[in-house]
Amino acid sequence: MPDLRTTPLHDRHAALGASFTDFGGWSMPVRYTSDLAEHHAVRQAAGLFDISHMAEFTVRGVGAGAVLDHLLAGRISTMRVGKAKYSLLLDENGGVIDDVIVYRRGEDDFLVISNAGNRALVAAEFDRLVGDIEIADISDDHALIAVQGPRAREIVEATAGIDDVTPSLADLGYYAWSGGTFRGDDLFIARTGYTGEDGFELLVANALAPALWDALLASGEPLGLVPAGLAARDTLRLEAGMPLHGHELSTDILPAQAGLGRVVAMDKDDFVGKDALAAASDDLPVLVGLTAEGRRAGRAGYAVLDAEGAPVGEITSGALSPTLGHTIALAFVAPASAAVGTDLLIDVRGTRIPATVTALPFYRRNA
């Protein structure tokens, strides 16, 4: 894949026998052994993911919180130092350019992590709107490694070379971060993830990424940790009802349609897209979960029909759930067909499969 970018861990993946795919212009491991085995490992013990393709921006300077209040749909300026917040970058029409996570590292110091495929778009919005605030795209200098699963904390705590973690991981809440070191260099540890499990995302300088990967594997393999690829990551996030940009999120989709109205602070004086959201129709298609029996899953683009066979929507993501043992899907459907318990049909290559609107998420971990 000569035209694709590679992460600092590419050689590690190749040595482990990974199969690769093009993801947002990056050559990324889609699996190492078995999609199912990697998925189940995350649910039962832990998985190790390379997510270094993600984009990272620092936002610094007096008034940085207010600038992010204007740029993003959420209220960022009131975040406490040490916390994280999921938010949305909208265009003037209220559509979703990208979904991001914002970390407050200091009074006027924020870290924003965005999706790899949208890095240039996010950078352009920063350039257009930030004024005198100092923005730095640090993506090319750092790697991001995720440890996800019920044994994630135990694994990270036992990893050789990780020191000086403050606050301790035992005291770290969800959607918060700790500072620390790995082999004496800065390490940023966030208690966030994209699998529906407990877990951590570790940001480290590129030069130390292979050593950190090796150390995490050495610590975790006796506890059931396995390297996991994009295929498992996708079924895990789908079970957790988490949207994927390009499927459940796009500039053609408003936050409320995707069930994300709660992350939009409409009481802010102003932010990009606010006027369009305020004027939006209440009759737009909305995102729902669908469950069906059997093993034939609805895939992105498949039609959703009402009980009489009339089209009411379209699948955006679907799979046979490894954890639940039946098919699940996310779909945008007409509001009249969106109530939990509504019986619908999925057109799977000409066969109409009965499905039921189901509350999200499909899977919720034990606290």
Side-chain angles (χ1 to χ4, degrees), residues 138-227:
I138 64 169
S139 310
D140 292 338
D141 300 321
H142 292 79
L144 193 59
I145 300 172
V147 183
Q148 299 284 301
R151 306 198 77 168
R153 193 188 98 192
E154 185 180 357
I155 290 165
V156 176
E157 287 178 330
T159 298
I162 294 180
D163 296 301
D164 307 317
V165 177
T166 306
S168 71
L169 300 188
D171 294 330
L172 189 67
Y174 192 49
Y175 264 66
W177 64 270
S178 290
T181 61
F182 177 68
R183 296 190 174 181
D185 204 355
D186 288 343
L187 178 67
F188 181 89
I189 306 175
R191 199 165 200 164
T192 47
Y194 194 52
T195 63
E197 296 294 340
D198 189 19
F200 301 87
E201 296 177 328
L202 296 85
L203 186 70
V204 69
N206 283 341
L208 287 172
L212 179 57
W213 176 272
D214 293 345
L216 289 164
L217 271 181
S219 169
E221 280 182 330
L223 302 177
L225 174 74
V226 304

Side-chain angles (χ1 to χ4, degrees), residues 311-337:
V312 294
E314 186 175 285
I315 300 291
T316 54
S317 298
L320 174 63
S321 166
T323 304
L324 304 175
H326 57 73
T327 58
I328 58 175
L330 296 172
F332 281 99
V333 302
S337 299

Side-chain angles (χ1 to χ4, degrees), residues 20-313:
F20 293 91
T21 191
D22 178 352
F23 189 78
W26 292 77
S27 177
M28 297 297 295
V30 67
R31 69 182 58 81
Y32 298 85
T33 56
S34 152
D35 300 351
L36 286 175
E38 292 167 23
H39 180 108
H40 288 311
V42 175
R43 291 281 181 250
Q44 297 164 8
L48 184 65
F49 298 85
D50 178 9
I51 54 173
S52 303
H53 60 302
M54 302 290 280
E56 296 89 27
F57 301 86
T58 57
V59 183
R60 294 171 173 154
V62 176
V67 167
L68 289 172
D69 277 349
H70 176 70
L71 183 67
L72 301 176
R75 190 179 294 280
I76 308 303
S77 59
T78 57
M79 289 175 61
R80 298 200 312 274
V81 174
K83 298 297 288 183
K85 178 175 283 192
Y86 177 83
S87 196
L88 302 171
L89 176 66
L90 307 179
D91 64 17
E92 296 289 353
N93 297 316
V96 180
I97 295 173
D98 201 13
D99 57 337
V100 303
I101 298 181
V102 183
Y103 303 86
R104 191 164 201 164
R105 305 192 303 177
E107 182 61 28
D108 296 304
D109 184 357
F110 297 84
L111 175 70
V112 179
I113 297 184
S114 71
N115 289 295
N118 293 326
R119 176 179 171 182
L121 294 173
V122 174
E125 289 301 301
F126 278 135
D127 288 343
R128 186 169 70 88
L129 295 167
V130 295
D132 295 329
I133 301 302
E134 178 190 346
I135 305 295
D137 183 342
I138 64 169
S139 310
D140 292 338
D141 300 321
H142 292 79
L144 193 59
I145 300 172
V147 183
Q148 299 284 301
R151 306 198 77 168
R153 193 188 98 192
E154 185 180 357
I155 290 165
V156 176
E157 287 178 330
T159 298
I162 294 180
D163 296 301
D164 307 317
V165 177
T166 306
S168 71
L169 300 188
D171 294 330
L172 189 67
Y174 192 49
Y175 264 66
W177 64 270
S178 290
T181 61
F182 177 68
R183 296 190 174 181
D185 204 355
D186 288 343
L187 178 67
F188 181 89
I189 306 175
R191 199 165 200 164
T192 47
Y194 194 52
T195 63
E197 296 294 340
D198 189 19
F200 301 87
E201 296 177 328
L202 296 85
L203 186 70
V204 69
N206 283 341
L208 287 172
L212 179 57
W213 176 272
D214 293 345
L216 289 164
L217 271 181
S219 169
E221 280 182 330
L223 302 177
L225 174 74
V226 304
L230 291 176
R233 185 170 161 87
D234 192 51
T235 51
L236 290 159
R237 72 91 191 168
L238 178 56
E239 288 182 346
M242 295 177 171
L244 175 63
H245 197 278
H247 289 251
E248 291 75 41
L249 300 174
S250 76
T251 52
D252 295 323
I253 297 168
L254 304 182
Q257 290 182 260
L260 295 174
R262 67 187 184 280
V263 308
V264 179
M266 288 297 292
D267 59 340
K268 290 192 298 184
D269 290 340
D270 187 36
F271 60 89
V272 177
K274 179 180 179 179
D275 291 344
L277 296 185
S281 167
D282 293 331
D283 199 35
L284 297 170
V286 293
L287 189 68
V288 299
L290 296 175
T291 56
E293 297 302 319
R295 304 181 66 83
R296 299 188 66 186
R299 303 295 183 181
Y302 286 12
V304 180
L305 317 173
D306 66 16
E308 285 70 46
V312 294

